[in-house]
């Protein structure tokens, strides 16, 4: 630790050389977390679908090692394969960010059961399974960080999102339970609960609302923010990434089982 700047403690690059597996990190919030951790010198395994080459190039620019896994998290055997790769290459990641997620918006009677099962599998089961495989390696290293991207919907419901709201409440429950199970170790588990963040997952909802309301996407976005997020501004992936860096730092050694809202005031109105 450096003590400069008038006695203010400046965090050194204490995370440099650690390894993070971030699910759903080819776009959106996961990529934002990858940027911020890589800036601290953390080697990254990217995961997910989309423009993988672009994500890899962006993260490699920080001079860290970049790996990739393309497991489909709907399937338990592919999650096991992802965690086996992580174990064999890195003795397990020091930092596990369970971030991949899916949304489907419809009233319960119109939501196809296959969409329900996919949301529960990706948002909820994959987080449990990933942690199940990651914790033994973290215990062996005697250090670890588990962060689950939950949501404001882990604390508040919205109509038309029953599978998503269920899965995000479960994500907070998982972080809390892991925090207790690991409380006497240097391994912490926490959830981050974003409000609206402008990512592909939300762009789909903006387009659908624009079509429903017969307005422009910009107007649909404004209405969505006005309904839920008192700040009237989108949260950014970079801001979520900053919170992840903090939760991984030694300053956060005793933050255990938190469900950190970063939601422009959504859940306190
Ligand atoms: P995104 O669409 O950019 O990211 C989702 C990621 O999950 C992508 O990388 C995608 O490839 C991956 N993914 C989806 N289905 C998958 C599957 N079957 N197998 C493997 N990977 C899969 O959206 P985002 O908004 O960045 O979402 C990231 C997380 O943040 C999600 O858990 C989401 O629920 C949560 N979240 C988002 C918001 C928001 O407003 N955008 C708010 C709160 C919480």
């Amino acid at each position: 630790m450096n003590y400069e700047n008038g006695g203010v403690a400046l965090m050194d690059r204490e995370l440099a050389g650690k390894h993070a597996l971030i699910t759903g990190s080819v776009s959106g919030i996961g990529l934002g977390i990858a940027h911020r951790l890589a800036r601290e010198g953390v080697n990254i395994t990217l995961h997910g679908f989309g423009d993988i080459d672009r994500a890899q190039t962006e993260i490699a620019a920080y001079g860290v090692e970049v790996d990739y896994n393309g497991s489909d998290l709907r399937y338990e055997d592919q999650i096991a394969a992802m965690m086996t790769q992580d174990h064999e290459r890195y003795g397990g990641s020091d930092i596990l960010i369970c971030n991949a997620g899916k949304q489907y918006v419809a009233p319960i009677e119109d939501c196809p059961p296959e969409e329900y099962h996919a949301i529960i599998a990706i948002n909820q089961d994959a987080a449990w399974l990933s942690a199940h495989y990651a914790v033994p390696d973290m215990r062996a290293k005697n250090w670890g960080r588990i962060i689950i991207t939950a949501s404001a919907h882990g604390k508040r419901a919205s109509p038309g999102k029953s599978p998503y709201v269920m899965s995000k409440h479960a994500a907070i429950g998982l972080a809390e339970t892991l925090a207790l199970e690991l409380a006497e170790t240097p391994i912490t588990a926490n959830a981050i609960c974003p409000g609206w963040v402008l990512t592909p997952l939300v762009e789909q909802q903006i387009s659908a609302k624009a079509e429903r309301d017969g307005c422009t996407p910009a107007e649909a976005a404004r209405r969505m923010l006005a309904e839920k997020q008192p700040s009237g501004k989108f949260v950014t992936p970079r801001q979520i990434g900053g919170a992840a860096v903090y939760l991984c730092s030694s300053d956060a050694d005793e933050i255990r089982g938190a469900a950190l809202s970063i939601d422009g005031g959504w859940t306190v109105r």
Side-chain angles (χ1 to χ4, degrees):
M1 185 72 77
N2 284 323
Y3 290 91
E4 293 172 5
N5 198 15
V8 175
L10 300 176
M11 204 189 326
D12 56 24
R13 282 163 57 92
E14 61 180 338
L15 298 175
K18 294 202 182 291
H19 196 102
L21 167 61
I22 310 172
T23 68
S25 49
V26 172
S27 59
I29 291 171
L31 185 57
I33 294 172
H35 270 275
R36 293 304 299 262
L37 285 175
R39 204 176 75 165
E40 299 299 319
V42 176
N43 300 315
I44 306 285
T45 298
L46 294 168
H47 162 271
F49 312 134
D51 193 344
I52 294 143
D53 290 343
R54 198 185 112 203
Q56 277 183 318
T57 305
E58 284 180 19
I59 300 307
Y62 294 94
V64 297
E65 288 171 23
V66 187
D67 202 349
Y68 172 69
N69 183 282
S71 291
D72 187 330
L73 301 188
R74 287 174 299 175
Y75 306 111
E76 187 170 337
D77 58 339
Q78 294 200 32
I79 298 168
M82 174 177 78
M83 300 311 293
T84 299
Q85 174 184 310
D86 196 50
H87 173 74
E88 287 175 353
R89 296 189 185 173
Y90 309 106
S93 284
D94 306 289
I95 298 166
L96 171 68
I97 315 267
C98 300
N99 170 78
K102 175 177 162 57
Q103 176 62 286
Y104 187 91
V105 184
I108 193 163
E109 65 272 30
D110 297 334
C111 180
E114 57 268 28
E115 294 291 345
Y116 165 79
H117 287 301
I119 289 172
I120 298 299
I122 297 163
N123 298 13
Q124 176 176 319
D125 297 348
W128 187 92
L129 286 161
S130 304
H132 166 76
Y133 288 109
V135 165
D137 284 332
M138 290 181 178
R139 283 193 190 275
K141 294 180 184 191
N142 203 32
W143 193 88
R145 291 289 188 261
I146 299 169
I147 299 175
I148 305 173
T149 307
S151 168
H153 282 117
K155 299 182 176 185
R156 299 286 184 278
S158 293
K161 298 186 175 178
S162 54
Y164 189 84
V165 170
M166 280 171 70
S167 71
K168 295 303 184 180
H169 276 68
I172 293 176
L174 174 60
E176 290 178 349
T177 308
L178 292 177
L180 286 179
E181 290 185 10
L182 299 165
E184 293 178 10
T185 77
I187 306 164
T188 68
N190 292 287
I192 292 179
C193 301
W196 292 123
V197 187
L198 193 55
T199 67
L201 185 138
V202 162
E203 281 162 4
Q204 288 170 10
Q205 294 176 61
I206 292 172
S207 304
K209 184 168 177 62
E211 204 172 306
R212 254 193 338 267
D213 291 7
C215 65
T216 62
E219 175 56 17
R222 195 197 62 74
R223 290 180 191 177
M224 281 166 62
L225 286 168
E227 187 192 342
K228 300 284 189 190
Q229 204 145 293
S231 67
K233 293 193 199 89
F234 284 105
V235 179
T236 66
R238 180 193 164 90
Q239 291 163 348
I240 309 290
V245 168
Y246 171 62
L247 288 175
C248 290
S249 75
S250 56
D251 288 346
D253 277 351
E254 291 311 324
I255 299 186
R256 296 172 185 269
L260 177 61
S261 290
I262 309 176
D263 65 4
W266 178 323
T267 51
V268 292
R269 78 187 320 178

